[in-house]
């Protein structure tokens, strides 16, 4: 047997550390070369760490959630034979493709069932991560993929099924007999001195509602007044002249029971208050993607003097065109959104206003006008804001832009996107309108010099010119009528060191022109 220590590799450019999100193997598991054994979070995404050898996991040296420097040993493998670790072995373990329940081809065209070591669950990294977030035991999830592999959909279905079962159990009504038994059990609890407890107090309230007069001696009535109790609420089995009769000792017992109940309520309220006041704040580690976002935003905000230009555009024609093309795109397997139209409009405007597609080389004291049109689109994920980049957007058609954007967004949200796919942008678009906003002051994705924010598309009243509506006001000819139109708001932030306000306004006007008349994009 030979051992092989495996150090955390540099899984990203300039990376000095990474957080071990979770292990995909356990000590004693057999692994094959290139099989994912762990998930590590870099400053941009979660990546899989593959095994460098065929062998057995001997020791795991890093805990899930631990931040490990690059180059530190995180796992030790044991390989068979005297070969150097990492070299091919005489007998290779079963490949990962032969998962539990998977059918493997055999000579003659048949299949045979291949099983895996007991307790091993095959699941996509995103499915394991989702299971942790939803509090689902991945071992209990039934996989629908090849060989029983667990997918994200399987985890969600299991979580929803478990939630429905829990809700059904909570809503199952008790039988009348059970309800009566519960009520009788509550009212049978009596203290040592004969005073009835809270359950009996409820019974007293019912009994008092049926009594409109209770007999008692004058001294007993004075005692009841002094103790602040209602004679009609005190339970009694004695009667005088056919009416309930209360004795002094019953008043005392009832009053003491009431005082004990009030004291218990006060103690419970005090305990609850102390528990609330003593609750500790939750502390969430500021690292990984969140720390990277914070560092980048602070650098941009404190380096580039931001100015934001706001405007709004009538996109009624764009809504109509997109509606017509949506079904055609769907037939080709593409989900067509408004974003590809905006990207096309932005690229067309950037050609005319190149300073908005630039960077500032402070050391050389030069403004670099970029010749590539690499458009980044901000995407909100559970881990924070990510910006996938569509390279050479000026060379791609509407359907290609839409398809590529959809794939990038999906990988960003699943945390499987690579660093390279989020680098090299020249201009960024952020769609805060997707969650209901209209205006914002987006922060530039440094070292770019501009970012365009899109607000929600809403119906608003607008004056539309029309010959039929022409009339005269105060001696002047006036035309136009108020009609509902689809309107989208724009927020363009610029680096004022490079771009002037007039340039920003002119650029925005050109983008608006293309969005108001999407047919103009056919000429670009």
């Amino acid at each position: 047997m030979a051992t092989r220590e495996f150090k955390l590799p540099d899984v990203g450019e300039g990376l000095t550390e990474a957080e071990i999100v979770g292990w995909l193997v356990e000590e004693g598991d057999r692994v094959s070369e290139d099989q994912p054994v762990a998930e590590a979070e870099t400053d941009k995404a979660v990546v899989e760490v593959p095994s460098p050898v065929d062998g057995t996991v001997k020791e795991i040296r890093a805990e899930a959630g631990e931040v490990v420097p690059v180059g530190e040993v995180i796992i030790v493998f044991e390989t068979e034979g005297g070969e150097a670790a990492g070299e091919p072995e005489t007998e290779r373990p079963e490949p990962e493709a032969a998962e539990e329940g998977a059918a493997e081809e055999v000579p003659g065209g048949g299949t045979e069932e291949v099983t895996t070591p007991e307790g091993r669950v095959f699941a996509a990294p995103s499915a394991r991560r989702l299971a942790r977030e939803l509090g689902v035991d991945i071992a209990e999830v039934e996989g629908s993929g090849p060989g029983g592999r667990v997918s994200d959909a399987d985890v969600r279905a299991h979580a929803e099924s478990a939630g429905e079962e829990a809700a059904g159990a909570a809503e199952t009504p008790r039988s009348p007999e059970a309800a009566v038994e519960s009520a009788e059990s509550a009212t049978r609890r009596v203290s040592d001195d004969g005073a009835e407890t809270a359950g009996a107090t409820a019974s007293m309230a019912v009994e008092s509602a049926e009594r409109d007069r209770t007999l008692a001696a004058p001294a007993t009535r004075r005692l009841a007044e002094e103790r602040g109790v209602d004679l009609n609420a005190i339970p009694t089995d004695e009667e005088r002249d056919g009416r309930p009769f209360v004795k002094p000792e019953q008043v005392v017992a009832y009053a003491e029971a009431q005082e004990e109940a009030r004291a218990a309520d006060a103690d419970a309220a005090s305990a609850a208050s102390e528990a609330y006041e003593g609750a500790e704040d939750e502390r969430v580690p500021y690292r990984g993607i969140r720390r990277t976002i914070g560092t980048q935003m602070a650098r941009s905000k404190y380096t580039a003097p931001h100015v934001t230009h706001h405007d709004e555009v009538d996109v009624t024609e764009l809504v109509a065109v997109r509606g017509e093309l949506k079904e055609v795109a769907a037939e080709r397997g593409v989900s067509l959104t408004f974003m590809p139209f905006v990207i096309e409009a932005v690229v067309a405007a950037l050609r005319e206003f190149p300073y908005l597609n630039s960077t500032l080389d402070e050391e050389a004291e030069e403004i670099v006008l970029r010749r590539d049109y690499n458009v980044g689109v901000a995407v909100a994920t559970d881990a924070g804001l990510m910006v996938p980049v569509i390279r050479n957007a000026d060379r791609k058609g509407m359907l290609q832009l839409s398809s590529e954007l959809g794939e990038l967004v999906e990988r960003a949200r699943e945390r499987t996107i690579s660093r390279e796919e989020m680098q090299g942008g020249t201009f960024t678009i952020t769609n805060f309108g997707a969650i209901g906003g209209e205006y914002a002051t987006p922060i530039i994705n440094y070292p770019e010099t501009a970012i365009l924010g899109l607000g929600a598309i809403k119906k608003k009243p607008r004056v539309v010119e029309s010959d039929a509506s022409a009339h005269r006001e105060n001696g002047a000819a006036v035309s136009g009528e108020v009609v509902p139109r689809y309107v989208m708001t724009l927020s363009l932030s610029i680096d004022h060191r490079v771009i002037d306000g007039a340039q920003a306004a002119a650029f925005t006007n050109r983008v608006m022109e293309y969005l108001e008349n999407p047919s103009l994009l056919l000429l670009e």
Side-chain angles (χ1 to χ4, degrees):
M1 289 288 185
T3 59
R4 165 72 178 271
E5 292 184 338
F6 181 60
K7 301 176 180 179
L8 178 67
D10 183 351
V11 291
E13 181 182 354
L15 183 70
T16 60
E17 63 182 19
E19 177 182 350
I20 302 299
V21 176
W23 288 99
L24 307 181
V25 295
E26 299 177 354
E27 292 181 359
D29 283 356
R30 296 278 296 172
V31 296
S32 56
E33 186 176 355
D34 294 328
Q35 174 185 330
V37 295
E39 291 179 317
E41 182 180 53
T42 69
D43 60 350
K44 287 293 184 183
V46 171
V47 297
E48 292 181 339
V49 179
S51 168
V53 295
D54 297 331
T56 303
V57 178
K58 180 180 180 182
E59 182 183 1
I60 293 177
R61 294 188 179 178
E63 297 291 335
E66 182 179 348
V67 177
V68 181
V70 169
E72 182 172 306
V73 177
I74 59 173
I75 188 171
V76 178
F77 298 99
E78 193 171 65
T79 59
E80 297 180 359
E83 305 162 346
E87 293 182 359
E89 299 177 354
T90 304
E91 281 189 24
R92 298 181 62 87
E94 292 179 353
E96 184 178 358
E99 299 172 350
E100 183 176 359
E104 185 174 291
E105 293 294 332
V106 295
T111 61
E112 64 173 306
E113 294 297 319
V114 181
T115 59
T116 57
E118 183 179 357
R120 181 70 184 278
V121 177
F122 288 96
S126 58
R128 293 180 181 273
R129 182 166 55 254
L130 181 61
R132 290 194 295 271
E133 295 171 353
L134 297 180
V136 171
D137 184 353
I138 195 73
E140 296 180 357
V141 181
E142 183 177 351
S144 61
R149 190 175 185 85
V150 178
S151 65
D152 293 13
D154 296 330
V155 174
R156 290 193 181 92
H158 182 86
E160 292 174 1
S161 175
E164 290 173 0
E165 291 177 3
E171 294 175 2
T172 301
R174 293 186 299 174
S175 65
E177 293 79 4
V180 170
E181 182 180 352
S182 176
E184 291 178 348
S185 174
T187 57
R188 277 198 297 268
R189 289 173 294 183
V190 180
S191 61
D192 293 340
D193 60 359
E196 298 187 10
T197 58
T201 302
S203 176
M204 295 175 195
V206 175
E207 183 180 343
S208 67
E210 298 173 353
R211 286 161 47 184
D212 56 1
R213 180 169 174 77
T214 300
L215 299 180
T220 304
R221 291 186 181 278
R222 284 196 302 271
L223 179 60
E225 291 178 2
E226 292 172 1
R227 302 299 293 265
V229 298
D230 180 7
L231 281 174
N232 293 327
I234 301 175
T236 179
D237 295 331
E238 294 195 24
E239 291 186 355
R240 297 284 177 86
D241 299 330
R243 291 181 179 276
F245 182 81
V246 173
K247 296 179 180 180
E249 58 267 26
Q250 291 175 312
V251 174
V252 174
Y254 182 82
E256 290 178 351
Q258 291 288 88
E259 291 171 1
E260 289 178 3
R262 285 193 291 269
D265 290 342
D267 290 343
S270 176
S273 176
E274 291 177 1
Y276 176 77
E277 293 175 358
E280 295 183 0
D281 296 336
E282 181 183 2
R283 289 181 172 267
V284 179
Y286 181 60
R287 61 189 182 216
I289 293 177
R290 174 50 57 191
R291 184 178 62 183
T292 301
I293 293 172
T295 301
Q296 177 73 356
M297 293 297 100
R299 180 186 182 192
S300 177
K301 192 66 176 178
Y302 291 114
T303 302
H306 283 56
V307 171
T308 304
H309 175 82
H310 300 289
D311 214 326
E312 59 183 22
V313 54
D314 185 333
V315 292
T316 304
E317 293 300 322
L318 175 60
V319 171
V321 170
R322 185 251 182 178
E324 294 174 359
L325 298 179
K326 186 177 179 180
E327 292 185 4
V328 177
E331 292 175 356
R332 302 185 185 183
V334 178
S335 176
L336 183 62
T337 66
F338 289 104
M339 186 59 74
F341 294 93
V342 177
I343 294 174
E344 291 270 19
V346 164
V347 170
L350 288 176
R351 289 196 185 99
E352 188 173 347
F353 300 94
Y355 277 81
L356 281 93
N357 196 56
S358 67
T359 58
L360 177 60
D361 187 339
E362 298 180 58
E363 292 186 2
E365 297 185 339
E366 294 176 339
I367 298 174
V368 182
L369 304 181
R370 302 291 301 274
R371 295 305 182 192
D372 294 327
Y373 297 93
N374 302 331
V375 179
V377 178
V379 178
T381 72
D382 293 338
L385 196 66
M386 296 187 182
V387 186
V389 175
I390 299 180
R391 299 182 182 279
N392 303 314
D394 56 318
R395 306 176 193 173
K396 297 174 180 177
M398 197 74 68
L399 292 181
Q400 186 177 358
L401 285 173
S402 187
S403 177
E404 185 173 332
L405 178 62
E407 293 176 0
L408 288 172
V409 169
E410 182 177 0
R411 287 204 296 275
R413 288 177 175 158
E414 291 182 351
R415 308 282 296 281
T416 58
I417 193 168
S418 67
R419 289 170 58 88
E420 291 73 18
E421 291 175 309
M422 293 187 288
Q423 294 176 337
T426 62
F427 187 95
T428 297
I429 301 172
T430 178
N431 181 19
F432 48 79
I435 54 177
E438 284 197 75
Y439 290 100
T441 54
I443 297 178
I444 298 167
N445 190 16
Y446 189 83
E448 298 169 14
T449 55
I451 180 172
L452 179 65
L454 308 179
I457 297 177
K458 297 182 178 180
K459 271 190 175 182
K460 296 183 179 181
R462 288 294 179 268
V463 176
V464 177
E465 297 297 328
S466 168
D467 293 338
S469 62
H471 62 283
R472 301 186 69 83
E473 285 185 7
N474 299 324
V478 177
S479 63
E481 59 181 343
V482 178
V483 296
R485 305 285 288 182
Y486 285 103
V487 177
M488 179 170 65
T489 54
L490 305 176
S491 298
L492 176 70
S493 289
I494 58 170
D495 183 343
H496 216 337
R497 298 174 302 173
V498 178
I499 304 167
D500 294 329
Q503 284 179 300
F507 170 83
T508 304
N509 289 341
R510 186 66 71 239
V511 172
M512 291 168 57
E513 183 179 349
Y514 286 116
L515 295 180
E516 287 176 345
N517 304 284
S519 58
L520 293 177
L521 295 173
L522 299 176
L523 302 177
E524 295 297 326

